[in-house]
Amino acid sequence: MTAPAVPTRVGRSVLLRRWPTWLGVALIVPLVATGLLTEFAEGIVVSAVIYWIWGAVRGQLWRPGWLTLETAGVAGFGAVTLAALSMNPGPARYLLAAGWLAHAGWDIAHHRADRIVPRWYAECCAVVDVLLAAAIVVLPAS
C-alpha cells in the first residue's frame, strides 16, 4: 500500500485560487471565538455602505442603475439593522442571522456581476457573512 499522495498541482491551484475564502475564515474565526462580533447589528448596514463607498471610488457606482441599486441595498440592510435593534434579543438574533445571509446573497450577486467591489472582496465578504450568520444562530447569546 502506498502513502497518501501529496496534493497535486491542480489541488494546490484550487486552494490558492480560493485565497479570499481562506481570508474570510481567518478574519471571522478570532472574532467569533472571542465573542466580539456575533451580534453586531450595525455591521450589516456598514457592510452595505462599504459597497457604496467602494463603488464610488472605483467609478462604477455612476453607471446607469447602480447608484439606485446600491442605495436600495443600504436602505434595506439599514431597515434590518433598525428592526433588530428595536426587538427583544432572542428574536433579534434570528433577524440578524437572516440579514447576514441576505448580505451573503448580495455579495454573491456582486461577485457574479463583477461590479462595484473586486471579486476577491465579494467572495471574502460572503464567507464572513455566512459564518457570522451561523455563529449567531449556533453560539449561545451573550
Side-chain angles (χ1 to χ4, degrees):
M1 195 147 232
T2 61
V6 176
T8 64
R9 187 180 326 187
V10 172
R12 285 190 303 267
S13 175
V14 168
L15 290 174
L16 290 174
R17 280 197 322 262
R18 295 283 58 97
W19 70 266
T21 295
W22 300 115
L23 177 61
V25 171
L27 290 171
I28 200 66
V29 167
L31 294 174
V32 171
T34 59
L36 292 176
L37 198 56
T38 55
E39 296 185 38
F40 180 48
E42 297 85 354
I44 298 170
V45 73
V46 168
S47 295
V49 169
I50 288 170
Y51 273 57
W52 215 13
I53 293 168
W54 206 327
V57 168
R58 293 182 80 202
Q60 294 189 357
L61 193 60
W62 316 122
R63 292 179 179 189
W66 283 99
L67 178 61
T68 302
L69 179 66
E70 294 302 316
T71 302
V74 170
F77 292 114
V80 169
T81 297
L82 290 174
L85 290 172
S86 68
M87 297 171 71
N88 290 328
R93 292 180 72 203
Y94 296 103
L95 179 59
L96 288 175
W100 283 115
L101 284 177
H103 196 270
W106 187 254
D107 299 326
I108 291 166
H110 282 77
H111 185 272
R112 290 182 57 112
D114 197 16
R115 295 279 188 257
I116 304 298
V117 297
R119 291 172 60 89
W120 69 264
Y121 181 85
E123 180 179 334
C124 179
C125 192
V127 170
V128 168
D129 295 350
V130 168
L131 293 176
L132 187 55
I136 291 169
V137 171
V138 172
L139 296 177
S142 51

